[in-house]
Amino acid sequence: MPLKNFEIRTDFADEWILNHQEDDSFTHHIMQKEGIDLHFIQILKEENSLHKQKGIYVTLAYEKMDDREARLKIASTLQFCIRELLEKMEVTPHKFLVVGLGNRMVASDALGPLVANEIMVTAHFYKDGSFDMKGTQEVAAIVPGVMGQTGIESGEIVKSIVDTYGPELVIVVDALATGSTARINRVIQLNSVGIIPGSGVGNHRMKLDEETLGVPVLSLGVATVISVAAIVKECVPQLDFEQLQEAHPFFHLVVTPKSIDVEMKQLCEILALALNRFLHPDFDKL
């Protein structure tokens, strides 16, 4: 593939907007909450200049998360965004399935499994209807693994559990790819359109969305990796990629910062806290 046609991979709708003039195919609203930049993007048409699926995308961009107070602010803002997104989706679920996508053995891809492991699950208490856990809602959580571990598509595993368990909303958590080094581990995206596992690194699998699962899907992810191509383009924007034919194979690689182990724990704390408080809003121990 010629380098001049090489596409910088990013899962974030607001990054696409930077390179496009606003038109009638989408709306873009920016606000701040507790010092955190929020981008609300609604893609109105199936055919649009951003080449993204029709739906609602929300991103949170923050500068630091290395202290407890900062993480609490991010979690509070994320909880607010989840409520706002569901209101725009016009769904009021009370039975949830949280899906932690990714490979727990790979640091940059372990976000989904780590967060799912911290979700307060209550579905087993609600199963026979004999237990009243005040302030909670019915929540189940799964980690389907990756095809290299199970030999089965993650989407097929999730679909079978959805058909059996019958949630009113599926919340999918996954690691995403960004096109900017400054945004690694510093931006969270929610959307109403679902997710294709592995799409950020060019490994497309079965899509998880309302069409395939039969129930609304809220996708939640954090930028944890960036492609080598994006780094080169960012560092030397005027560079003619056609001059780098020999380096082309390396452009497909994705990398993550050496601080990923520490920051993944911080991200897990933020997402799990926001989700648990959203899922169990009246449970006073969260």
Side-chain angles (χ1 to χ4, degrees):
M1 178 173 60
L3 287 174
K4 64 181 180 180
N5 296 324
F6 194 94
E7 183 177 284
I8 302 299
R9 293 195 184 108
T10 176
D11 291 311
F12 290 87
D14 64 321
E15 291 183 19
W16 282 98
I17 283 179
L18 295 175
N19 301 316
H20 294 80
Q21 292 185 340
E22 190 162 342
D23 56 45
D24 63 357
S25 68
F26 68 92
T27 62
H28 180 205
H29 173 65
I30 305 174
M31 65 175 286
Q32 269 205 346
K33 185 174 175 62
E34 298 195 60
I36 298 172
D37 292 331
L38 305 179
H39 293 255
F40 290 85
I41 300 164
Q42 184 162 10
I43 298 180
L44 306 170
K45 301 179 180 180
E46 294 293 348
E47 297 293 328
N48 59 82
S49 57
L50 301 181
H51 306 292
K52 303 290 283 186
Q53 189 170 341
K54 180 180 177 182
I56 305 165
Y57 300 77
V58 184
T59 60
L60 298 75
Y62 46 90
E63 294 183 359
K64 65 174 186 175
M65 60 174 181
D66 54 351
D67 64 76
R68 175 69 173 171
E69 183 178 350
R71 293 194 293 275
L72 288 174
K73 284 184 178 180
I74 300 169
S76 174
T77 304
L78 178 56
Q79 183 184 353
F80 163 80
C81 290
I82 294 171
R83 292 197 303 264
E84 287 289 301
L85 180 55
L86 287 183
E87 184 176 328
K88 293 179 183 298
M89 291 171 64
E90 299 182 344
V91 293
T92 54
H94 300 284
K95 186 176 183 180
F96 303 84
L97 175 65
V98 178
V99 180
L101 292 177
N103 186 343
R104 66 170 74 247
M105 305 303 294
V106 178
S108 61
D109 196 34
L111 181 68
L114 289 174
V115 172
N117 190 57
E118 297 299 320
I119 295 301
M120 188 175 123
V121 295
T122 56
H124 50 309
F125 295 128
Y126 281 83
K127 191 170 184 180
D128 59 8
S130 62
F131 187 85
D132 181 18
M133 198 170 182
K134 187 177 180 181
T136 70
Q137 298 187 94
E138 187 172 353
V139 179
I142 64 164
V143 178
V146 294
M147 183 176 282
Q149 296 170 322
T150 65
I152 305 172
E153 283 266 14
S154 298
E156 293 174 353
I157 295 173
V158 175
K159 173 62 175 172
S160 65
I161 293 174
V162 167
D163 291 344
T164 302
Y165 174 59
E168 298 168 351
L169 178 73
V170 174
I171 300 176
V172 181
V173 182
D174 199 9
L176 305 178
T178 177
S180 169
T181 54
R183 288 163 64 93
I184 298 176
N185 298 336
R186 293 296 183 271
V187 61
I188 302 171
Q189 178 172 266
L190 304 85
N191 73 48
S192 64
V193 305
I195 193 169
I196 302 175
S199 60
V201 295
N203 183 25
H204 296 259
R205 313 310 312 177
M206 173 181 168
K207 187 170 185 180
L208 301 177
D209 62 3
E210 185 169 5
E211 182 179 355
T212 58
L213 299 181
V215 295
V217 176
L218 186 154
S219 175
L220 174 60
V222 181
T224 63
V225 297
I226 185 171
S227 69
V228 171
I231 295 174
V232 173
K233 186 70 173 177
E234 184 178 58
C235 294
V236 195
Q238 73 277 14
L239 192 65
D240 185 351
F241 276 15
E242 287 186 288
Q243 298 174 359
L244 298 178
Q245 292 290 345
E246 293 182 3
H248 180 230
F250 298 102
F251 277 36
H252 291 283
L253 297 177
V254 294
V255 294
T256 195
K258 62 183 180 181
S259 59
I260 189 64
D261 292 304
V262 172
E263 294 190 333
M264 189 61 74
K265 293 178 181 178
Q266 296 169 346
L267 290 168
C268 176
E269 178 186 349
I270 292 168
L271 268 62
L273 182 59
L275 284 171
N276 279 323
R277 287 181 171 176
F278 162 72
L279 294 167
H280 309 295
D282 300 317
F283 190 66
D284 58 9
K285 293 184 180 181
L286 292 174

